[in-house]
């Protein structure tokens, strides 16, 4: 059993946690005004947006019931 299985959800959650932690630590240490820190954090945010958009475009809708077998739900 893996501690952190790398699925789509865990990958996106790890990216969100890293970006959030980066903004928090940079603000806490008062280094958020440095250009390189801003650039790294915004590149991380951009990567997060790209990953979210790519996962959203690849998202397949799954139907619960096949079309050929109709079921009466009027009970």
């Amino acid at each position: 059993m893996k501690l952190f299985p790398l699925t789509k959800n865990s990958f996106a959650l790890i990216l969100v946690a890293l970006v959030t932690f980066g903004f928090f630590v940079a603000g806490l240490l008062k280094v958020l005004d440095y250009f390189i820190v801003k650039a790294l954090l915004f590149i991380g945010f951009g990567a997060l947006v790209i990953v979210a958009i790519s996962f959203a475009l690849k998202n397949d809708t799954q139907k619960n019931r096949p079309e050929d077998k109709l079921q009466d739900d009027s009970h």
Side-chain angles (χ1 to χ4, degrees):
M1 183 174 135
K2 292 183 179 180
L3 184 61
F4 295 110
L6 289 178
T7 62
K8 290 191 287 187
N9 291 335
S10 65
F11 183 65
L13 192 60
I14 288 170
L15 276 176
V16 168
L18 287 175
V19 170
T20 303
F21 186 71
F23 273 110
F24 178 74
V25 169
L28 194 63
L29 298 176
K30 296 183 181 176
V31 294
L32 197 55
D33 291 333
Y34 298 145
F35 176 74
I36 192 71
V37 175
K38 283 183 185 179
L40 287 174
L41 289 174
F42 281 110
I43 287 172
F45 181 72
L48 180 65
V49 169
I50 290 170
V51 167
I53 289 172
S54 69
F55 285 160
L57 291 176
K58 284 194 257 182
N59 193 10
D60 295 331
T61 57
Q62 296 177 353
K63 295 187 177 185
N64 290 335
R65 297 187 188 137
E67 293 292 326
D68 55 347
K69 295 182 181 178
L70 298 177
Q71 183 176 348
D72 186 19
D73 290 336
S74 63
H75 300 101

